Amino acid sequence: MSSPNHRPRKTVRPGRRQRQAVHLGTGLLFLSGLVWLLAHYALPLPGDAARHPLEPWAMRIHGAATLFGMAVLGSLWGRHVVRAWKDGRHLASGGGLLGLWMGLAVSGYALYYVADEEMRNGFSVLHVTVGMALPVALAIHIAAAVKARRARG
């Protein structure tokens, strides 16, 4: 029996729809970024085009997915991130994941607004590297949470 001052521990696990939104947003961002990279660096240019026709479409989708991804991150903030942080849960994987999101937000902003070409190249390398790491970090975070939940019974 619990004491009157004892409150049951609230779960910090996002709900099913929130998890689906995280997976959808991460997938859209990753795939649209990958399509842009392939169109920019690997696919042959048609005719005498200056850039591949997939590039602007990939960027449009990537920009829209960014807005969706930031909204999803905001929806996770109060019920997931802050609660888990206070409980001391998955600080390394969650903190790393949050750091990657912030790195992507800052480098993406810089790619849009920084005019100096040398700085843009640096932000581009950072953005691509962090963007490739994000799905891996998300998988690690999820695996750590699943493992801990199974260990708790």
Side-chain angles (χ1 to χ4, degrees):
M1 181 133 185
S2 63
S3 70
N5 294 331
H6 174 71
R7 286 187 279 168
R9 188 174 181 170
K10 291 184 180 179
T11 182
V12 297
R13 183 179 186 211
R16 182 177 52 87
R17 288 193 178 154
Q18 222 171 13
R19 290 191 312 270
Q20 289 172 341
V22 168
H23 300 154
L24 176 64
T26 302
L28 283 171
L29 284 163
F30 181 78
L31 290 174
S32 60
L34 186 60
V35 167
W36 183 87
L37 282 171
L38 291 172
H40 190 75
Y41 292 109
L43 296 178
L45 293 176
D48 55 344
R51 65 180 178 187
H52 196 281
L54 283 177
E55 283 187 59
W57 284 105
M59 275 297 96
R60 288 177 187 125
I61 294 168
H62 199 66
T66 298
L67 295 174
F68 178 72
M70 294 304 282
V72 169
L73 181 60
S75 77
L76 288 170
W77 190 257
R79 295 195 77 177
H80 181 67
V81 176
V82 172
R83 282 185 188 174
W85 200 265
K86 285 180 182 177
D87 288 351
R89 290 182 170 183
H90 312 294
L91 297 179
S93 64
L97 192 57
L98 189 59
L100 291 176
W101 270 108
M102 294 303 109
L104 284 169
V106 169
S107 61
Y109 180 86
L111 286 172
Y112 200 76
Y113 288 107
V114 170
D116 181 81
E117 205 55 39
E118 191 172 317
M119 286 180 68
R120 278 184 52 77
N121 288 338
F123 280 117
S124 179
V125 169
L126 175 66
H127 194 74
V128 168
T129 304
V130 173
M132 293 295 177
L134 185 76
V136 175
L138 179 60
I140 290 168
H141 184 63
I142 292 169
V146 167
K147 182 178 177 182
R149 192 168 57 251
R150 286 184 179 154
R152 285 193 304 269

